[in-house]
Each structure stands twice: as C-alpha cells, then as structure tokens.
Amino acid sequence: MKKYLLILLFSLMPVFSYAGEAKDMAEDPVLEKRMIGLAEKLRCLVCQNESLASSHAELAEDLRREVREQMKLGKSDQEIIDYLVARYGDFVLYDPPVKKTTLLLWYGPFALLLIGGGVLVYQLRKRKGQIAEPELSAEEAQRAAALLNEPADTPNQPKDPQA
Amino acid sequence: MMRFILPFIVFVILAAFLYVGLGLNPREVNSPLIDKPAPAFTLPQLHEPAKLFSPADMKGKVWLLNVWASWCVSCREEHPVLMELARQNIVPVYGLDYKDKNEDAELWLKKGGDPYVLSVSDADGRIGIDYGVYGVPETYVIDKQGVIRYKQIGPVTPQNLSEKILPLVAELQAK
C-alpha cells in the first residue's frame, strides 16, 4: 500500500511543480499572451538561437518580466521593442531592420539571383551563336528534296515503327 | 581561359566571406551604448547600504564599471587581473554586483580581495538591463563626460587590458 502511495505521490510531482507557473499566467492571460507573442520575435542574448519566449536563461526571465511590466504601463509593442534595441542593439530582433549595414543581408540573395540569371542568359546567347545552322552541300540538298518528294507511305509500310 | 578564372574568383570571394564569418565571435554583440551617456542609476553601496552611488558622482574622471557577481565563473578568471589593475592605481574600478546576494558578494570579496573603489548592488538586475548586460563579467570604460567608450564582454585579461583598455584610458585621461 505504502509503495502505491509513493508511486502516486511521485507521479503527481510534475503537477505540483507546474503550479507556480500556471498561477503566474492566470494573473492576466491576455497580457501574458501578448507578452509571449512579442517575445517570440525577440532573441535571447544568452542562448542566441532561442527566442525570448522559449528561453530558460535567467536574463530571458528578467526581460520577460520587464516586457510584462511595460505592457502593464500601457506601452505599445513598438515602444518596448525600441527599449530593448536601445540596450541590446538590433541583435535582439529576429527581423533585422533594413539599414546600411544590413543591405547585403536583405538584398544580397536577390543580387546573386540577378547575377546568376545574367550569366545564364549570356551563356545561352553565346552558345546559340556558336551552333551554326548546318549547311547542306548540293548533293545533300538534292537527296533531301528527293526524299521529300517521295509519294506518301505505302499501306504496308507503317508510319510509326512502333505501331 | 576566362571560364576557369571567373569561377575561381567567385570561389575566392565566397571563401573570404566564410573565413571572416568563422572568425567572428557570435557571443560578442556590439553594444548600441558605445558613445552614448552611461545610463543613470542610484544604488546602495555593497558595504554600506546606507550610502548611495551614482555614475554622476564620477563626472570629470575616467573610470571602469565592472559588472560582476559571486556566482559568475568567468569573474574568477578576471579577478586577479582586476586586483593587479587596482594595485597599479591607473584607473578607478567600480563594481556593479549583478543579481547577487549581499552576503555572498561580501564573502567573495573578503576571500579573493576587493579590487573595487566601491561596489553597488543591483539585486534584481534592472540596472544590468539598462546597461545591456547579458553575460557577466562585462566592463565599461566611461570617460570624463560620463560617456561609454568601450565595452569588454567577458573577462578582462592581461591581453585586452594592455591592447585595448589601458591605451583607451590613457587617451581619454589626456583629453
């Protein structure tokens, strides 16, 4: 009996440990949702490949708290983003703004595509010029004319060899 | 001949990009606060919580603000360097004790020595956010006008001290 009670107790442990977080969220679910939505667009500086929403780093927790508090003060999403960019730079944004330093990042792929397309067109044009129209000698022309002028296929000679 | 040279040039350019990219340290994010006034704060001093300290008190002096914590592993590495710097008395070093318990912080300074003129405690890390702190230790070089001139991310080492920080401090002090 004691064993089963213990098993029950341990299996319930995740429920107990989750209670803290759940309570925090329940405080204001609308605000929490807005905070998570914004935090998903922001990068955690400690883990770097995780968003502020998913990171468990302590800094990310502090920043989420900061975002939450600023939202409670009635700041707009853009104001909060500006606040974070002023401190951590554009690096906190998953969507970096178009700037002098990010021009290559934004337009580089299109430039490469254009260059590639240009090279392709140039090469194709050049090749077309290289493949000359075959010129027939007088004898070949005569043979071709003779073949073209032959009467239509005879019935016992099928048009299509596969037929 | 051209058909070999052109792809080779393209290859060299791509290889150069790759080389530069691999050489960059992704952990070093340039601070947007460089050449901007150091964010203001007023915090209680670590040893005498009744006394306050504010960066405005440092007007007219070149100083270092070192963000540290007793729980921070890299701070252990940088600590002897800061001790040596304090002994040389070139530039005052102030400490921002980041998200630390006062008892832990004082114990750490008692054990390893205190290189700081004074430390202030930023218990909830709010001032750290204002300074864009994301990895302790970090060190800011602040000039006579209270403008941040340089940020060292990660521990101060004898190398970056002699190559970057001290020349900059000398230059700023001469101004």
Side-chain angles (χ1 to χ4, degrees), chain B residues 13 15 20 41 63 65 77 111 133 140 147 160 170-171:
Chain B
I13 291 171
V20 172
F41 62 80
W63 57 295
L65 180 67
E77 186 187 324
K111 263 198 222 155
V133 169
Y140 298 81
V147 174
N160 59 41
E171 186 193 315

Side-chain angles (χ1 to χ4, degrees), chain A residues 2-38:
Chain A
K2 209 171 149 194
K3 196 171 131 199
Y4 290 111
L5 264 177
L6 265 178
I7 290 172
L8 184 72
L9 185 71
F10 277 111
S11 62
L12 279 175
M13 269 174 80
V15 181
F16 296 139
S17 59
Y18 190 68
E21 258 173 274
K23 192 180 144 216
D24 198 21
M25 303 251 284
E27 213 174 86
D28 188 346
V30 181
L31 185 110
E32 196 65 18
K33 217 176 154 189
R34 193 179 145 209
M35 186 279 287
I36 294 292
L38 183 62

